[in-house]
Amino acid sequence: MAQDGIDRRPALGSFDPAGPGGASGFHSDFYPDLSEPEAPAQAARWMGWRLRILVACALLGCVGIIGLIKLLAQAPHVDATWRANTQGYIELAASHDPRLVPYIGRVLLAVRGEADADDLAAPPIDALALQRSGRWLIADADRARQQLLHRQLAAKLALPNVVLVFAAGAADGITNGASEANTSIATSGFAGERSAVDVLPHPRGAADLPAIFWLLSYFTLALCLVAAVQVLAHPSLRNLLYAVIAWCQAGNLLFIAVESTLELGLPGPFTAADMPLRMGFDLITAAAMVVAVCLHPRRLPGAQWMVIAAWSAALLLLGLGAGGWLPQLWWWVQMGTAALGLVALGLLTWSYRIEPHPFAIIFRRFGAGIVGSWLLLTLALAVTHHAPGMPQDMAAIASMVWYVLLAGLLLLVPFVAKSQPVMREFLLLAAVSAVATSLDLLFVTLFALGQFASLILSLFISLAVYAAARRWILSHLLGSSMLTTERMFERLYRIAREVEATPERAATLLSGLLQELFEPMEVSIVEPHAFSTRMASDGSSLLVPVPALGGETERGAGSVLIRFAHRGRRLFTTEDARLTDRIVEQLRRAVVFDKAVEQGRKEERLRLAQDLHDDIGARLLTLMYKAQSPEMEDYVRHTLQDLKTLTRGLAASNHPLSHAAAEWKADLTQRLTAADIGLTWTFAADADVLLTVVQWSGLTRVLRELVSNTIAHAQARRLVIDFRLENDQLELIVADNGIGRDPRSWSHGLGLGGIRKRVKQLGGNVEWREATPNGISCRVVIRQLSGRS
């Protein structure tokens, strides 16, 4: 590590920006041209078998979706739409069948076959027939009855002829008997006659499947294929864990898609497999998340034991639940999943404290939203599950919103650095939807609001909270840049001037600007040159090329590698990469522009020097030969010598300090000797730096003005000039033994004011004070002389 805090690495091979130990969650080798290339035949075979497996997976997925569509399209269908009323019974909401239209708004009492002797052979119907998933039924008895009811309804609808039994009037005095599996219709609490209608079930066809089924099916296939691509492209344990999580959530989405087709009764296999499989999907997802954060962004101490504990807890709950040994199974699954999620958040916090990798804090924030919405959903369903008719539809909608939220985030995770704004907006939108749905459930149950009023109120509250907290949420989710545009461009052009003077410091100066802009935790200068800014796939690192500053075709001097933006609090994005590309290009243009300006100045100085030499010099030479007295001839000769010094200085682009000092001494000696003043000259320098024209001109005029003041006003007999350069700091002391006193009371006219102005332009300061025993001493100090232009 260098003194400036920038690491300079001699080489960059196959670079993993996540650092030692494989801190990157996905393949992060964004510098493949520096690694050993594979032979063309090997590369073709390497891509070939993976590509064939991916194509096979895609074909299997398509075949599976087509088979599912065919199964659902052939399922028996009755042209009717049903709804649950507030008393927990099912009533006909709409139908295009002329035989059913008169019964719209009537309560459905039973579904029986044409051969059944009476209604006692039919399953008693209640709102559980419309419950899409047993996974979101809280009571074990309700879940068992829901599964039995769906199996019985599926069996009845599979018959050639089906009889639907409707109540003749409204319900009056419904008892709890209808919720028991063996209760007959005769005791269900309906008064009056019953009406039976014969209907002929027919296959519904693929065209009649709801739009949500198609969307969720395609979403499921896309998520499965993205996970397969991730594993096949870069096989690793972390990517395999990602695939396990993605495939589990794809299974959840597939069940939701099938259940979205529900009318009366789902096909038998789906009803029986719903709770065991979806319980397994949720627990395995939570356990895999715990395992993933144990290994990424870094392997945690004791990771092996934590992995064993997570898998053991998930498999134990899954085994006990599948065996029927856990009463209140829904609560065990919900709390077990939430507990594993909270453990994952705690491990991410611990990982960030060990090594502030931005992946840890970014996904801790997203994970907090996921776990928080899961707990809110659990609370809302727990409070409202006794409300008749409400959990049957709202629980399905709320849980679907949560699963789509998680699946959407999983779909974007492999592209996290490129999709952060999308992930952010998706998370906020899904969080608002989840909160609104949960509040809707609570308002309906606790305050007895109507469904429409409750929905409007919950949406209004969710959107109001979102709008009020959006700025805070966005700044804490992804962070923001601390370097303003004005300050950035000020630094950019200051760097351009410094690079022009010292091109070898270009990488160090660019590193300093990137440190101000992104506040990275690590900065390294590496030798291989990148032609454009490259970003790690997990967003942890950025590789920025040092621009070519010697011409359009010159190769840049290496690259700057920065890791962990904003002190490890956020990931790099594609916007950051584009910004750094613009900065590098502007820096290159600024240097080229400054060089062009300096070239123009040089050419103008040469023209002025040539004109002064040819015109003014010739006239002074003629005047010297025609002088009327020796004093006039000597004055003109001195003026001509000053002109020669001036033109020589204008013609040169820079001046070695030792040469300039020699010229100053000769010039001042000549002037002081003519004024009968002795000169004591001292010069010491630890480096013979090159003075620019501005520096040479400024120091020349300062020295001449100080000597002129001594000759004109001091009445001195001796002048002492001490000129020193040490550690790039120039110190000039000019002291006389004249009659000058109290310099603070002097009025600063053109002479003294000009000295102050020139010294300030050179980046220094000047001070006059009384000398001992008499006279005046002037001290000029210029720090970092070589860094000034």
Side-chain angles (χ1 to χ4, degrees):
M1 185 71 69
Q3 293 180 351
D4 54 9
I6 299 174
D7 184 22
R8 290 167 174 81
R9 301 182 185 179
L12 180 66
S14 180
F15 171 69
D16 182 357
S24 174
F26 301 99
H27 188 69
S28 304
D29 189 0
F30 56 71
Y31 221 90
D33 50 315
L34 296 178
S35 59
E36 285 190 28
E38 293 181 338
Q42 291 177 342
R45 287 196 299 270
W46 187 88
M47 288 299 296
W49 69 267
R50 286 174 169 80
L51 186 59
R52 284 192 287 270
I53 291 178
L54 181 61
V55 171
C57 290
L59 291 176
L60 287 176
C62 291
V63 169
I65 294 294
I66 293 173
L68 179 63
I69 293 172
K70 184 177 180 180
L71 175 64
L72 296 176
Q74 292 177 348
H77 167 71
V78 174
D79 185 7
T81 302
W82 310 94
R83 66 187 174 208
N85 61 21
T86 57
Q87 297 170 316
Y89 282 83
I90 295 176
E91 59 185 34
L92 181 62
S95 178
H96 296 291
D97 190 336
R99 290 170 295 182
L100 293 178
V101 170
Y103 299 95
I104 293 177
R106 299 283 188 90
V107 172
L108 179 66
L109 298 180
V111 177
R112 60 181 174 82
E114 188 178 27
D116 292 337
D118 53 30
D119 294 344
L120 294 177
I125 304 295
D126 59 25
L128 286 176
L130 298 183
Q131 174 62 43
R132 296 181 178 181
S133 172
R135 168 68 181 84
W136 292 95
L137 283 174
I138 297 178
D140 294 340
D142 288 344
R143 189 179 311 108
R145 172 164 170 71
Q146 183 256 358
Q147 293 176 3
L148 176 62
L149 189 57
H150 275 270
R151 287 196 300 270
Q152 291 176 336
L153 286 173
K156 294 298 181 182
L157 291 174
L159 298 174
N161 293 329
V162 175
V163 178
L164 303 181
V165 181
F166 291 94
D172 57 349
I174 302 174
T175 68
N176 292 331
S179 62
E180 299 296 334
N182 297 321
T183 303
S184 68
I185 300 174
T187 60
S188 61
F190 282 94
E193 297 181 357
R194 296 166 177 79
S195 300
V197 182
D198 293 336
V199 295
L200 299 176
H202 60 276
R204 67 186 307 170
D208 288 336
L209 294 176
I212 189 66
F213 168 81
W214 298 99
L215 292 175
L216 290 177
S217 298
Y218 293 143
F219 195 7
T220 299
L221 183 60
L223 185 59
C224 289
L225 291 180
V226 167
V229 168
Q230 195 64 38
V231 173
L232 291 173
H234 312 294
S236 68
L237 178 58
R238 288 184 291 270
N239 285 348
L240 180 60
L241 288 170
Y242 166 77
V244 168
I245 296 173
W247 290 332
C248 284
Q249 293 313 305
N252 273 323
L253 291 179
L254 193 61
F255 268 97
I256 294 173
V258 172
E259 290 157 1
S260 68
T261 66
L262 172 68
E263 291 179 338
L264 280 179
L266 284 172
F270 291 101
T271 304
D274 182 87
M275 182 60 180
L277 286 183
R278 295 189 64 180
M279 174 181 67
F281 292 153
D282 290 338
L283 290 173
I284 290 174
T285 294
M289 285 183 175
V290 173
V291 175
V293 300
C294 287
L295 304 177
H296 177 70
R298 72 182 312 279
R299 189 179 182 88
L300 296 176
Q304 179 179 358
W305 298 108
M306 288 186 284
V307 168
I308 294 174
W311 284 123
S312 299
L315 294 177
L316 179 62
L317 282 176
L318 186 58
L320 293 176
W325 295 319
L326 286 179
Q328 299 297 322
L329 179 59
W330 185 85
W331 282 106
W332 281 100
V333 175
Q334 293 298 106
M335 293 298 102
T337 304
L340 289 171
L342 293 174
V343 169
L345 293 179
L347 292 176
L348 283 171
T349 303
W350 184 27
S351 175
Y352 184 78
R353 290 180 179 176
I354 296 175
E355 180 188 21
H357 194 294
F359 184 96
I361 194 167
I362 292 297
F363 278 86
R364 186 183 67 184
R365 290 164 181 166
F366 284 115
I370 293 172
V371 175
S373 58
W374 175 270
L375 290 173
L376 181 61
L377 177 61
T378 301
L379 175 63
L381 292 179
V383 172
T384 62
H385 81 282
H386 290 299
M390 281 303 301
Q392 281 68 34
D393 50 6
M394 294 304 298
I397 296 173
S399 61
M400 182 180 67
V401 169
W402 189 89
Y403 283 117
V404 170
L405 159 66
L406 179 56
L409 291 177
L410 288 172
L411 194 63
L412 297 174
V413 161
F415 321 102
V416 60
K418 297 181 180 180
S419 62
Q420 283 189 63
V422 178
M423 291 181 69
R424 177 189 64 200
E425 297 301 331
F426 185 83
L427 176 65
L428 292 177
L429 178 62
V432 168
S433 302
V435 171
T437 306
S438 301
L439 290 177
D440 188 18
L441 286 170
L442 292 174
F443 289 154
V444 169
T445 303
L446 298 180
F447 302 107
L449 296 178
Q451 192 164 348
F452 179 76
S454 172
L455 179 61
I456 296 299
L457 180 60
S458 59
L459 283 175
F460 176 80
I461 293 176
S462 301
L463 292 175
V465 172
Y466 165 74
R470 178 180 174 81
R471 183 182 298 273
W472 182 90
I473 292 172
L474 296 187
S475 64
H476 281 71
L477 278 177
L478 296 178
S480 58
S481 177
M482 301 302 294
L483 186 63
T484 63
T485 303
E486 179 182 0
R487 191 171 159 207
M488 182 179 69
F489 278 100
E490 179 184 346
R491 288 275 292 120
L492 184 64
Y493 285 104
R494 187 184 305 136
I495 288 174
R497 291 192 293 270
E498 294 182 28
V499 167
E500 184 183 359
T502 54
E504 67 277 3
R505 297 186 64 225
T508 302
L509 295 170
L510 179 60
S511 300
L513 177 62
L514 295 175
Q515 281 182 308
E516 266 195 84
L517 181 61
F518 295 115
E519 297 182 4
M521 296 193 65
E522 297 180 17
V523 180
S524 305
I525 298 176
V526 293
E527 289 183 1
H529 177 70
F531 291 96
S532 62
T533 300
R534 311 288 293 276
M535 182 181 64
S537 61
D538 67 351
S540 63
S541 308
L542 208 63
L543 190 68
V544 183
V546 178
L549 303 175
E552 291 292 334
T553 60
E554 182 179 341
R555 186 180 176 88
S559 304
V560 178
L561 174 66
I562 55 178
R563 299 178 64 210
F564 305 156
H566 286 213
R567 312 303 301 169
R569 293 191 298 272
R570 78 170 182 90
L571 302 175
F572 290 107
T573 65
T574 51
E575 287 78 9
D576 295 330
R578 285 194 290 267
L579 175 61
T580 52
D581 276 335
R582 294 191 188 102
I583 289 174
V584 168
E585 178 61 21
Q586 288 299 321
L587 178 59
R588 188 191 65 80
R589 291 183 180 182
V591 172
V592 171
F593 175 79
D594 282 353
K595 287 183 177 180
V597 171
E598 183 58 33
Q599 182 65 26
R601 288 175 179 172
K602 182 179 180 180
E603 293 174 358
E604 184 66 14
R605 287 196 301 267
L606 288 173
R607 187 186 65 80
L608 289 174
Q610 191 68 44
D611 290 346
L612 289 173
H613 179 273
D614 295 344
D615 296 339
I616 306 300
R619 292 175 183 273
L620 287 174
L621 186 62
T622 301
L623 184 61
M624 183 181 69
Y625 288 129
K626 292 183 178 181
Q628 301 297 321
S629 63
E631 290 80 6
M632 180 60 71
E633 180 182 352
D634 191 52
Y635 180 80
V636 174
R637 181 178 288 108
H638 289 164
T639 304
L640 190 60
Q641 182 64 34
D642 289 346
L643 180 63
K644 181 186 287 187
T645 302
L646 176 62
T647 55
R648 188 166 59 249
L650 288 173
S653 59
N654 50 55
H655 303 260
L657 179 59
S658 58
H659 294 182
E663 290 182 357
W664 293 332
K665 180 181 178 182
D667 177 54
L668 298 180
T669 299
Q670 186 178 28
R671 295 183 62 194
L672 291 171
T673 300
D676 197 21
I677 299 175
L679 173 63
T680 301
W681 174 272
T682 304
F683 175 77
D686 57 3
D688 192 11
V689 299
L690 293 177
L691 300 178
T692 65
V693 173
V694 174
Q695 292 172 329
W696 174 85
S697 176
L699 291 172
T700 298
R701 283 166 172 74
V702 167
L703 280 169
R704 285 183 175 178
E705 184 61 31
L706 289 173
V707 170
S708 296
N709 287 342
T710 299
I711 295 174
H713 307 294
Q715 302 179 19
R717 307 308 302 167
R718 176 158 294 279
L719 184 68
V720 178
I721 299 179
D722 187 6
F723 197 109
R724 298 182 182 276
L725 179 68
E726 184 176 356
N727 296 328
D728 205 29
Q729 175 175 301
L730 183 147
E731 183 178 15
L732 171 64
I733 298 177
V734 179
D736 64 58
N737 61 351
I739 62 173
R741 287 290 182 272
D742 193 13
R744 294 185 179 181
S745 64
W746 295 351
S747 61
H748 287 226
L750 292 177
L752 297 180
I755 293 174
R756 284 188 180 276
K757 181 179 179 180
R758 294 184 188 282
V759 172
K760 184 177 180 181
Q761 288 175 343
L762 296 176
N765 54 72
V766 60
E767 178 185 16
W768 284 270
R769 63 178 60 181
E770 294 183 0
T772 303
N774 55 4
I776 295 295
S777 173
C778 177
R779 182 172 180 263
V780 176
V781 177
I782 302 175
R783 296 176 177 84
Q784 296 182 349
L785 180 66
S786 62
R788 306 286 180 177
S789 58

